[in-house]
């Protein structure tokens, strides 16, 4: 079902400030959907509207066809897991997980069965008698997740779920948490400012800026086909060239830019016109770098290496082009560095394929 969660024209105002502006989107059943944006963009406010902690100023939310507006937070088939986990410090792991079921006065036999099954799923059966302070950060997170899932919510809300973890643990837990959610088939909306987290965990991503949805798509669509400058710059690293359309055909567009001696030739057409102002987005890993002139008519530039960042699996080159623009080039270190490798100050040629970049009209 494409509209298991349907957000329709939702707006939230705080006095004169519009935190969420006319947001409409659908979330499919069983999908992990991420709201991605910088601090203050409105993503957490939108999440709180779904949870019932904030009342929308306009618009409505439907969950499995039923409106949520008339339900109090505790009455909604929605559970929210906070960044701080909010575990009860005086309770054991088992009691924390069982808390919501006890509040619902579930029969003891069913309560124990569901708690046991959930502890096994999150691999905490052996730690059921421990208190939160006796657990690692990753274990505490799994307790909070188990407590959120044991009530079998129709919608799980995650607010910066990895924010309290260190970088290495965060990377591992992204896969673990996503696998648990997918195994149970729970529909999930998560909020994060960490693009790696969104790209790793989510089936689809919505990028938010100033209370509005800028783009919705799968991780690869968002990265490879940004629909505007904001999306291109917000996800990953990108080289942007401003220019004007010189020629627009069905299978290509040619762009002139002050940043390069040669023109830009792009292997797809656009809905544009000659002289139209556009931007060309080119990811650093799509570029090639060498000392030799590639001899291309288009899509090449000459410059000089200003900085080199060696990051183990790959290297990042900062190249100052002859016309002054600074760009990034990322290369894989799939061979041991040779004695003739590029160094600071080397004159180089940078070039790329016709299909490597994307023309942005907004």
């Amino acid at each position: 079902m494409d509209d298991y969660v349907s957000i329709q024209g939702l707006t939230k105002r705080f006095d004169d400030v519009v935190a969420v502006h006319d947001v409409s989107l659908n979330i499919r059943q069983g999908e992990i959907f991420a709201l991605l944006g910088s601090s203050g963009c409105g993503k957490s406010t939108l999440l709180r509207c779904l949870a019932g902690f904030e009342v929308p100023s306009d618009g409505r939310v439907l969950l499995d066809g039923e409106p949520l507006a008339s339900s109090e937070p505790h009455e909604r088939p929605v559970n929210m897991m906070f960044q701080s986990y909010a575990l009860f410090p005086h309770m054991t792991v088992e009691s924390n997980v069982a808390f919501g079921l006890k509040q619902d006065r579930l029969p003891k036999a069913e309560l124990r069965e569901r708690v046991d099954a959930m502890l096994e799923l999150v691999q905490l059966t052996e730690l059921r008698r421990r208190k939160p302070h006796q657990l690692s950060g990753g274990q505490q997170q799994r307790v909070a997740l188990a407590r959120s899932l044991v009530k079998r919510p129709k919608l799980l809300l995650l607010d910066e779920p990895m924010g309290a973890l260190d970088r290495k643990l965060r990377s591992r837990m992204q896969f673990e948490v996503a696998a648990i959610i997918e195994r149970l088939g729970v529909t999930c909306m998560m909020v994060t400012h960490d693009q790696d987290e969104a790209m790793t965990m989510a089936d689809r991503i919505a990028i938010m800026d100033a209370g509005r949805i800028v783009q919705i798509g799968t991780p690869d669509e968002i990265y490879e086909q940004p629909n505007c400058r904001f999306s291109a710059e917000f996800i990953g690293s990108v080289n942007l060239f401003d220019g004007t359309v010189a020629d627009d055909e069905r299978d290509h567009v040619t762009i002139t830019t002050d940043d390069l001696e040669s023109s830009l030739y792009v292997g797809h057409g656009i809905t544009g016109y000659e002289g139209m102002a556009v931007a060309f987005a080119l990811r650093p890993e799509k570029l090639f770098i060498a000392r030799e002139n590639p001899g291309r008519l288009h899509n090449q530039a000459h410059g000089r290496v200003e900085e080199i960042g060696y990051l183990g699996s790959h290297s990042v080159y900062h190249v100052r082009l002859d016309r002054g623009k600074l760009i990034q080039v990322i290369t894989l270190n799939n061979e041991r560095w040779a004695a003739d490798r590029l160094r600071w100050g080397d004159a180089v040629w940078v070039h790329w394929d016709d299909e490597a970049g994307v023309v942005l009209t907004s």
Side-chain angles (χ1 to χ4, degrees):
M1 181 183 293
D2 286 344
D3 56 353
Y4 186 72
V5 179
S6 181
I7 300 172
Q8 302 174 357
L10 192 144
T11 296
K12 177 60 183 178
R13 302 182 189 90
F14 295 98
D15 297 324
D16 295 332
V17 177
V18 181
V20 179
H21 185 85
D22 194 23
V23 167
S24 296
L25 59 88
N26 293 329
I27 302 173
R28 305 177 186 117
Q29 189 168 12
E31 183 175 39
I32 299 178
F33 190 95
L35 289 173
L36 177 63
S38 55
S39 297
C41 73
K43 58 187 187 299
S44 291
T45 300
L46 179 56
L47 200 74
R48 291 175 63 84
C49 287
L50 268 66
F53 301 140
E54 300 288 352
V55 178
S57 305
D58 292 299
R60 63 176 188 163
V61 179
L62 302 178
L63 176 56
D64 198 13
E66 298 295 326
L68 291 179
S70 59
S71 304
E72 295 296 323
H74 67 277
E75 297 172 335
R76 300 186 180 196
V78 177
N79 267 12
M80 187 166 180
M81 178 177 140
F82 298 93
Q83 178 180 346
S84 63
Y85 308 147
L87 300 178
F88 299 110
H90 62 287
M91 291 185 181
T92 63
V93 167
E94 182 178 37
S95 296
N96 266 284
V97 174
F99 180 80
L101 300 180
K102 288 181 178 178
Q103 295 295 107
D104 292 343
R105 301 184 182 279
L106 206 69
K108 288 186 177 180
E110 185 180 351
L111 184 150
R112 175 167 291 279
E113 180 181 344
R114 283 169 63 169
V115 170
D116 287 349
M118 189 55 61
L119 290 175
E120 183 177 354
L121 179 65
V122 299
Q123 300 177 15
L124 289 174
T125 301
E126 302 300 319
L127 305 178
R128 64 193 307 149
R129 304 299 182 195
R130 291 193 183 181
K131 302 285 183 65
H133 73 274
Q134 298 173 308
L135 304 175
S136 68
Q139 290 166 343
Q140 290 180 24
Q141 185 189 54
R142 278 185 274 157
V143 175
L145 182 63
R147 186 177 63 183
S148 298
L149 290 172
V150 75
K151 291 188 67 174
R152 299 174 182 171
K154 287 187 173 182
L155 177 63
L156 174 66
L157 305 176
L158 304 180
D159 187 8
E160 300 283 358
M162 310 294 167
L165 304 178
D166 63 66
R167 182 177 179 179
K168 188 172 182 179
L169 181 57
R170 186 163 65 242
S171 179
R172 179 169 62 85
M173 291 303 298
Q174 288 167 5
F175 289 99
E176 285 194 19
V177 170
I180 291 169
I181 294 170
E182 289 170 355
R183 199 175 309 161
L184 292 175
V186 175
T187 304
C188 174
M189 175 182 272
M190 59 179 285
V191 156
T192 181
H193 67 274
D194 186 328
Q195 55 186 263
D196 290 342
E197 188 169 292
M199 298 282 278
T200 298
M201 296 181 65
D203 299 303
R204 286 191 302 149
I205 298 170
I207 297 179
M208 288 193 72
D209 178 41
R212 301 174 186 267
I213 299 293
V214 174
Q215 183 174 2
I216 298 175
T218 62
D220 60 300
E221 288 170 345
I222 293 284
Y223 186 82
E224 299 288 353
Q225 298 292 330
N227 65 354
C228 62
R229 292 182 71 110
F230 185 86
S231 287
E233 292 182 302
F234 191 79
I235 296 287
S237 299
V238 69
N239 299 301
L240 283 175
F241 300 89
D242 291 306
T244 57
V245 174
D247 180 34
D248 181 25
E249 300 293 339
R250 185 173 63 178
D251 62 344
H252 75 274
V253 58
T254 305
I255 300 167
T256 57
T257 173
D258 292 337
D259 296 324
L260 306 172
E261 292 85 355
S262 69
S263 58
L264 293 161
Y265 182 93
V266 189
H268 63 81
I270 62 171
T271 303
Y273 53 87
E274 187 175 335
M276 178 181 181
V278 295
F280 178 67
L282 186 60
R283 299 292 184 187
E285 70 275 9
K286 309 289 188 184
L287 285 81
F288 305 98
I289 185 170
R291 292 189 177 89
E292 299 80 21
N293 186 339
R296 300 175 61 102
L297 295 176
H298 310 281
N299 299 346
Q300 70 172 35
H302 185 265
R304 193 169 295 275
V305 177
E306 281 199 356
E307 298 287 345
I308 302 174
Y310 177 79
L311 300 176
S313 62
H314 62 280
S315 294
V316 180
Y317 294 87
H318 289 193
V319 178
R320 180 73 64 180
L321 302 183
D322 288 349
R323 293 196 175 183
K325 186 175 182 65
L326 185 68
I327 66 170
Q328 284 190 41
V329 182
I330 295 177
T331 63
L332 289 177
N333 296 325
N334 49 13
E335 297 179 1
R336 294 188 66 83
W337 275 34
D340 63 345
R341 67 182 181 269
L342 294 174
R343 299 179 185 277
W344 291 273
D346 282 354
V348 293
W349 286 90
V350 176
H351 61 100
W352 55 94
D353 294 335
D354 297 346
E355 307 292 338
V358 177
V359 180
L360 306 175
T361 57
S362 62

